Amino acid sequence: KQEVTQIPAALSVPEGENLVLNCSFTDSAIYNLQWFRQDPGKGLTSLLLIQSSQREQTSGRLNASLDKSSGRSTLYIAASQPGDSATYLCAVILYQGGSEKLVFGKGTKLTVNP
Amino acid sequence: GAVVSQHPSRVICKSGTSVKIECRSLDFQATTMFWYRQFPKQSLMLMATSNEGSKATYEQGVEKDKFLINHASLTLSTLTVTSAHPEDSSFYICSARGPDTLYEQYFGPGTRLTVT
C-alpha cells in the first residue's frame, strides 16, 4: 500500500528565507507527483506536477524535484513571503486498473512571519 | 480556465438526515470526477471515482449505500450522505478532469459538513 509522508509537519520561518519541504513515498511505481497548496478551510491549488520521467519542475520561486528510485520529492521555496503561508500537500499519482488515483500526505503547515 | 465549484460551502444537518453536496465543472467537460474526504490534521482520502454516465467506483472501506454518488452530466456530480452521523462530519472536496484539462485533476473549494 502506498504511503506518503511529509516532513516537517509544521514550519515557521522569517520572511525572505529559502526553505525546503520534504515528501517521501513507499512505492516507487508512481505515475506522476504533484504539489498543492491548501489555505485554511479551502480547496487545493496545484503548484507543480512532475511526470515520472522528469527530475524537476520550476514555477517562479518554486522548484520541485523528484527522485523516484529513492522515493523522495522536495519542494523548494525561494525568498519566502507571508503570502506563502499555507499547508503544502504532496500527492503521488498512481494508475491502477485503468483509473487514476491520488494518494496524499498529511501536509506541511508553513508560516512565514513578516 | 478549469474551475470547479462546490455547493454548499458549509452545511449543518441533524443526525439521521441526508445531505447533498454538488460539484460542478464551470468551464470544461468533466468526464471523471473524484470525491475526497479530509478529517482534521489528516490526509485527503479518496472516497470514490465516477465517470460520467457510469456507476461510481468506491474505495475500500467507503460504504456505497451511505455515500451516494451521481454523475449524470459532464458538468455535475453530486454526493449524498444518507442517514448522517456525527462521525461523518468532515471536509468533503471534489475534483474533476477531462480532455480539456489534459486529464489533470482540478479541485473544488470544499464543503464543510457538520452533523449534530
Side-chain angles (χ1 to χ4, degrees), chain A residues 31-107:
Chain A
Y31 190 54
N32 295 322
L33 184 143
Q34 197 164 3
W35 283 92
F36 295 88
R37 168 186 174 137
Q38 185 176 29
D39 292 286
K42 303 290 185 183
L44 276 62
T45 301
S46 177
L47 298 173
L48 290 164
L49 185 150
I50 310 176
Q51 295 179 0
S52 60
S53 58
Q54 297 175 321
R55 285 206 166 258
E56 66 177 338
Q57 279 282 357
T58 298
S59 176
R61 294 182 293 109
L62 305 180
N63 176 276
S65 69
L66 173 63
D67 185 342
K68 271 186 61 175
S69 60
S70 67
R72 295 178 189 275
S73 175
T74 61
L75 178 66
Y76 175 81
I77 302 177
S80 57
Q81 302 171 357
D84 295 331
S85 298
T87 296
Y88 290 80
L89 300 175
C90 167
V92 297
I93 303 171
L94 311 178
Y95 202 76
Q96 297 175 340
S99 180
E100 176 183 303
K101 177 177 177 177
L102 270 66
V103 179
F104 286 86
K106 291 184 180 181

Side-chain angles (χ1 to χ4, degrees), chain A residues 1 4 34 36 38 41-46 49 89 95 98-107, chain B residues 10 34 36 38 41-46 49 59 91 93 97 103-110 112:
Chain A
K1 179 186 173 186
V4 179
Q34 197 164 3
F36 295 88
Q38 185 176 29
K42 303 290 185 183
L44 276 62
T45 301
S46 177
L49 185 150
L89 300 175
Y95 202 76
S99 180
E100 176 183 303
K101 177 177 177 177
L102 270 66
V103 179
F104 286 86
K106 291 184 180 181
Chain B
R10 290 178 178 270
F34 304 82
Y36 296 82
Q38 184 179 35
K41 298 187 190 294
Q42 298 298 313
S43 312
L44 268 80
M45 297 294 292
L46 179 65
T49 302
E59 294 298 301
F91 194 55
I93 303 179
R97 65 167 191 173
Y103 296 100
E104 182 176 339
Q105 292 185 35
Y106 285 80
F107 286 78
R112 172 73 59 192

Side-chain angles (χ1 to χ4, degrees), chain B residues 13-76:
Chain B
C13 70
K14 293 190 175 180
S15 188
T17 62
S18 296
V19 61
K20 181 184 287 187
I21 302 169
E22 292 186 349
C23 176
R24 292 183 186 272
S25 58
L26 299 185
D27 53 3
F28 67 98
Q29 293 187 329
T31 49
T32 307
M33 287 185 165
F34 304 82
W35 286 95
Y36 296 82
R37 180 168 53 182
Q38 184 179 35
F39 292 108
K41 298 187 190 294
Q42 298 298 313
S43 312
L44 268 80
M45 297 294 292
L46 179 65
M47 299 175 66
T49 302
S50 71
N51 294 302
E52 185 265 337
S54 302
K55 288 185 178 180
T57 301
Y58 291 81
E59 294 298 301
Q60 193 172 7
V62 178
E63 301 172 56
K64 63 179 182 181
D65 294 329
K66 179 172 181 61
F67 299 98
L68 302 180
I69 292 172
N70 184 286
H71 187 176
S73 79
L74 284 171
T75 59
L76 173 65

